[in-house]
Amino acid sequence: MDDVKINTSKTISLVLGADPDSNIVNATLYHEFSNSSVVQVSTACTRTAAGNYSIVFGESTANSNNFVLSQGGAHKVVFSYDISATAYTSEVYFNVYTPYITGVTFFTNHSDLQNTFGAKFEDYEKKARRIINTYCGQDFDYYGSKSFIIDGYDNRFLRLPYPLDTLTTVVADSGDSDAETIHDSSDVTLNNLEKYNTMGNFGSSYTVRFKNKVSDTRKSYIARTYHNKFNSKSDYKVTGNFGWRFVPNNIRDACELLILDLMNDDSEYRRHRIHSVDMDTTRYRFERDFYGSTGNTDVDVLLMDYTYYVMDYIG
């Protein structure tokens, strides 16, 4: 799966053995989050040669610096066309990501490495970014106008899978015949929830909760939420802007240190948590917390405040 930097253009191509009916191919762009997945509706592709078609996902409006690929995560392009009056589809996948450090910043600090590693910098950055994401249990991309369906658990609080920047709506049992909106930021009579324990990241939070005094007095609402608690028998569709609008400095610095490690063969043993080697008998001794570190203590400290969960090995 190709990697594409966020807020850039990407051309996706389709190659067929021959032109489809009427030389018509359409493409729809989807995001991996299934509850809010359509990024760009079906759009006609450009015929570049016999059987060859392409579509460019660039700026949503020319010269606006607002791009279609403005959110992180896996994307899917579905090409649709007819051949001899039979409908067909083809799919192409790619991943949109936020670089944690740019080549310009890295080589400004380490200009002596540019001639040797400049051409492969993006590969090193991708590896370091994936190490950070795995270690922290989260990524630092942005997901605007997305929805997640989360089960309630008879608590006033609802834990979210990504930090919430802006809360728009919350619907109980979305898609069911008795679905009910319990929060709508645009309706003063349905302004019942709030972000909880916000700090940093421009007031984002992993948790929403019921306010002490809710504005909604509907009896059905009160019954469903067990007096302002998220009912364990219901699920809740939470819509808003999620993720990180910027890469924290600690994440950038950690990525820089990991890239230096990846470029340095002398760090190979340390990165594999080998703390001693007996060369005469070829005996390796590993650290007990093999999965508890990135392999670089300085990086571990930088990531400490951003670690969502801690991995360990159970033998």
Side-chain angles (χ1 to χ4, degrees):
M1 186 164 60
D2 287 345
D3 280 323
V4 183
K5 289 181 182 178
I6 198 168
N7 292 322
T8 59
S9 297
K10 174 67 174 178
T11 300
I12 304 294
S13 299
L14 173 70
V15 179
L16 301 173
D19 284 318
D21 297 352
S22 303
N23 295 346
I24 295 176
V25 175
N26 293 309
T28 304
L29 180 64
Y30 297 89
H31 190 274
E32 64 176 312
F33 296 160
S34 59
N35 293 305
S36 49
S37 61
V38 177
V39 177
Q40 181 170 295
V41 298
S42 181
T43 305
C45 298
T46 301
R47 182 178 183 269
T48 57
N52 293 354
Y53 294 81
S54 68
I55 186 167
V56 178
F57 299 109
E59 290 180 301
S60 52
T61 302
N63 303 316
S64 66
N65 199 36
N66 285 271
F67 288 83
V68 173
L69 304 180
S70 61
Q71 302 171 46
H75 288 64
K76 175 177 68 175
V77 182
V78 178
F79 293 102
S80 57
Y81 47 90
D82 293 342
I83 298 177
S84 299
T86 301
Y88 292 91
T89 60
S90 295
E91 298 179 356
V92 177
Y93 295 83
F94 62 91
N95 181 63
V96 177
Y97 71 96
T98 303
Y100 291 171
I101 188 171
T102 65
V104 173
T105 299
F106 182 87
F107 290 118
T108 296
N109 297 335
H110 309 282
S111 57
D112 56 312
L113 299 175
Q114 186 160 12
N115 288 338
T116 304
F117 298 103
K120 295 183 177 181
F121 174 78
E122 289 192 2
D123 290 337
Y124 285 115
E125 191 277 334
K126 291 175 186 177
K127 291 177 182 178
R129 177 162 36 85
R130 288 165 184 156
I131 291 171
I132 290 171
N133 291 351
T134 302
Y135 182 79
C136 290
Q138 66 168 317
D139 58 51
F140 298 89
D141 289 313
Y142 177 69
Y143 307 98
S145 300
K146 289 288 177 282
S147 299
F148 297 92
I149 294 181
I150 304 168
D151 288 331
Y153 42 91
D154 295 337
N155 197 292
R156 185 183 169 202
F157 304 90
L158 193 65
R159 182 74 176 179
L160 305 172
Y162 292 89
L164 176 68
D165 175 43
T166 304
L167 177 63
T168 306
T169 60
V170 178
V171 179
D173 299 314
S174 176
D176 295 347
S177 59
D178 60 345
E180 189 171 10
T181 299
I182 63 173
H183 176 86
D184 188 337
S185 61
S186 64
D187 187 342
V188 294
T189 67
L190 287 173
N191 198 357
N192 300 312
L193 305 178
E194 63 186 358
K195 293 185 291 183
Y196 171 68
N197 197 25
T198 60
M199 52 183 289
N201 194 13
F202 294 96
S204 294
S205 172
Y206 281 98
T207 308
V208 294
R209 68 177 179 183
F210 281 94
K211 295 181 177 179
N212 285 327
K213 295 181 179 180
V214 300
S215 55
D216 193 334
T217 59
R218 293 172 296 171
K219 292 182 179 179
S220 61
Y221 161 81
I222 294 297
R224 168 166 293 174
T225 58
Y226 286 164
H227 300 286
N228 303 342
K229 291 183 179 180
F230 293 99
N231 191 337
S232 61
K233 296 181 180 180
S234 294
D235 55 41
Y236 298 86
K237 183 176 182 179
V238 182
T239 301
N241 298 326
F242 295 84
W244 294 80
R245 290 186 177 274
F246 64 98
V247 176
N249 289 343
N250 279 29
I251 304 303
R252 179 202 62 200
D253 294 345
C255 190
E256 180 178 358
L257 292 175
L258 284 175
I259 291 172
L260 287 172
D261 275 359
L262 292 169
M263 291 178 174
N264 181 7
D265 291 338
D266 291 342
S267 66
E268 196 69 18
Y269 282 160
R270 177 165 56 84
R271 287 196 291 112
H272 288 83
R273 304 300 286 159
I274 298 172
H275 68 82
S276 67
V277 180
D278 295 334
M279 299 305 294
D280 57 337
T281 58
T282 317
R283 179 182 299 170
Y284 296 86
R285 294 185 176 89
F286 292 85
E287 296 283 358
R288 293 176 62 86
D289 61 336
F290 186 87
Y291 289 106
S293 173
T294 62
N296 185 313
T297 303
D298 292 332
V299 172
D300 295 346
V301 172
L302 287 169
L303 299 180
M304 189 178 298
D305 290 338
Y306 299 91
T307 302
Y308 198 42
Y309 62 82
V310 177
M311 295 186 299
D312 203 353
Y313 174 76
I314 301 176

